[in-house]
Amino acid sequence: MASSSGLSVTELAGSVGFILAVLVEVGAVLGNGTLLVVVLRTPDLQDAFYLAHLCVVDLLAAASIMPLGLLAAPPGLGSVPLDPSSCRAARFLSAALLPACTLGVAALGLARYRLIVHPLRPGARPAPALVLTAVWSAAALLGALSLLGPPPAPPPAPARCSVLAGGLGPFRPLWAMLAFALPALLLLAAYGSIFLVARRAALRPPRGTRPRSDSLDSRLSFLPSLRPRLPGGKAALAPALAVGQFAACWLPYACACLAPAARAAAAEAAVTWVAYSAFAAHPFLYGLLQRPVRLALGRLTRGVLPRAPKACTPQAWDLRTLLQRLQGLCKDPALGPSEAPEQNRELAGQSPRVSEAT
C-alpha cells in the first residue's frame, strides 16, 4: 500500500510538472512571438534592437532546448532516450542559449541605463550590432566548453544531456560565473544606477515653486504625509522587478552548477524549468510593462480588429443651426443657377419674420 501510494504521488508530481512545463512552453512562444511582431512593426522604439534580440533568443530556446527538456528530462519525462550525437547537440544548445539569454538581458539593461542616465550623449553608446556580436561570441565560447566534458553514456544507460548532470565536467564553475554571475553584476549596476537617478529626481524640489503664504491651508499642505512613501517608488518598480525576476529564475540554476554533480542531477528538473520560465516572463517584464510597447500593441490591435459602426446621435434642432444649414445649401455648387436665386429670395423674405419671431 505504501509503495503504491508513493508511486501515485510520484506520478501525480510528474503529471503536474509536465502540465506546468507545457504552459511555460506555450507562454514563451506566444509572448515572444507577439512582442517580436510589435517591435518589428514599431521600429522607432528606443531599445527595439535589444528587445528583438531577446525575443529571438527566447524563441530559439523555446524551439530547441525546451522540447528536449519535455522529452528527456526526469522525473517522468525521460521516456525518449537520446543517442550520443543528439545528447552532445542538446548539451551545446543548452550551454550556448542560456548565456545568450542572460547576457542579452544584461545588454538590454545597460542600453536602458544609457538612455535614461545619459540621454544627451549618443557618442558614449556602442553600436548594438557590436554589443550583440560580443554576446554571441561569449555564448559560442561557453557552448564549446560543453564539448570538452565527458562523453555521453550509451543508450541503455540513462542519458545525462544537460549542463547540470556532468555536461561540462570541471568547467561548470567557470561556466556559471560567466553565464550568471557576470550578467547579474551588470544588471544590478545598471538598474541600481537607474534607481538612484530616479530617487534623486524625486527628492529634488520642483522648479518655479511659489513662495509660502501664511494661510492655514498652506501650512497644512507643508505637513508630512501620514502614509510613508519611498521617494522614487514608482520609478523603482521596474528595476526591482527586473533584478528580482533574474535572481528568482537564474540563481537556483547557478547554485546547482556550483553544487556536486550528484546533487545537481537530483534537482535537475526543478531548477531547469524554473530557469526556463524566464523565457515566458521576458515578454511581460520587458514588453508589456513598458508604456511605448503597450501603446504600439494597442495601435496594432485596433488596426487588426474590425471597427464597430458608429451610432448616429440625434441632434437637437436649433433655429441658428437650421439657418446655417439652409445657407450652406444655398451656397452649394451642386444647385442649378435657377434654384439658388429662388432659395436666396425665399430666405431673404423669411429672415425678417424669423427675426421678429426671435
Side-chain angles (χ1 to χ4, degrees):
M1 180 67 70
S3 61
S4 62
S5 62
L7 183 62
S8 63
V9 170
T10 304
E11 292 178 353
L12 179 61
S15 302
V16 172
F18 183 79
I19 293 173
L20 292 178
V22 170
L23 291 178
V24 170
E25 169 80 18
V26 173
V29 172
L30 294 181
N32 286 284
T34 304
L35 182 59
L36 184 60
V37 170
V38 172
V39 171
L40 293 179
R41 295 290 299 273
T42 315
D44 56 342
L45 294 175
Q46 292 180 339
D47 48 5
F49 204 81
Y50 294 100
L51 270 179
H53 168 262
L54 187 60
C55 292
V56 169
V57 173
D58 291 347
L59 287 174
L60 287 176
S64 59
I65 60 176
M66 292 178 73
L68 287 175
L70 286 174
L71 295 176
L77 307 181
S79 58
V80 179
L82 298 178
D83 57 292
S85 59
S86 301
C87 194
R88 282 187 177 275
R91 282 182 182 181
F92 177 79
L93 289 174
S94 180
L97 287 177
L98 296 184
C101 179
T102 55
L103 292 172
V105 169
L108 178 60
L110 290 175
R112 290 184 173 178
Y113 160 76
R114 288 189 294 269
L115 287 172
I116 294 174
V117 180
H118 304 291
L120 301 179
R121 290 167 53 186
R125 306 171 193 167
L130 180 63
V131 175
L132 296 183
T133 301
V135 167
W136 279 104
S137 300
L141 178 63
L142 294 175
L145 291 178
S146 66
L147 303 178
L148 303 177
R160 295 299 185 183
C161 304
S162 66
V163 176
L164 296 178
L168 289 170
F171 300 103
R172 280 197 309 155
L174 176 63
W175 186 85
M177 295 294 292
L178 294 178
F180 301 114
L182 179 61
L185 291 177
L186 294 176
L187 201 66
L188 188 61
Y191 282 109
S193 302
I194 291 174
F195 170 70
L196 291 178
V197 169
R199 186 175 183 272
R200 197 178 300 120
L203 291 175
R204 186 181 305 161
R207 298 179 180 179
T209 54
R210 294 180 300 177
R212 179 178 175 180
S213 62
D214 294 333
S215 62
L216 181 60
D217 294 338
S218 177
R219 293 179 182 180
L220 291 177
S221 64
F222 277 84
L223 291 177
S225 176
L226 297 178
R227 184 177 58 183
R229 183 178 63 88
L230 177 66
K234 185 179 293 186
L237 180 61
L241 287 177
V243 175
Q245 180 267 334
F246 189 91
C249 292
W250 298 111
L251 186 59
Y253 199 92
C255 294
C257 287
L258 299 176
R263 294 185 179 180
E268 177 185 358
V271 298
T272 298
W273 281 101
V274 168
Y276 288 173
S277 65
F279 302 139
H282 288 160
F284 303 97
L285 183 63
Y286 297 101
L288 292 181
L289 289 184
Q290 308 299 321
R291 189 169 179 269
V293 177
R294 290 199 306 269
L295 294 177
L297 180 61
R299 287 196 301 267
L300 293 178
T301 305
R302 288 192 297 269
V304 171
L305 295 179
R307 297 182 179 180
K310 295 182 179 180
C312 298
T313 56
Q315 298 180 354
W317 287 102
D318 185 45
L319 182 60
R320 183 177 300 174
T321 306
L322 179 60
L323 289 176
Q324 291 176 356
R325 288 179 179 275
L326 291 176
Q327 291 175 3
L329 289 175
C330 294
K331 296 177 182 179
D332 192 356
L335 295 176
S338 61
E339 297 177 359
E342 294 178 2
Q343 291 190 3
N344 285 334
R345 285 193 297 270
E346 290 177 3
L347 287 177
Q350 290 178 1
S351 57
R353 304 176 198 171
V354 173
S355 59
E356 291 175 4
T358 304

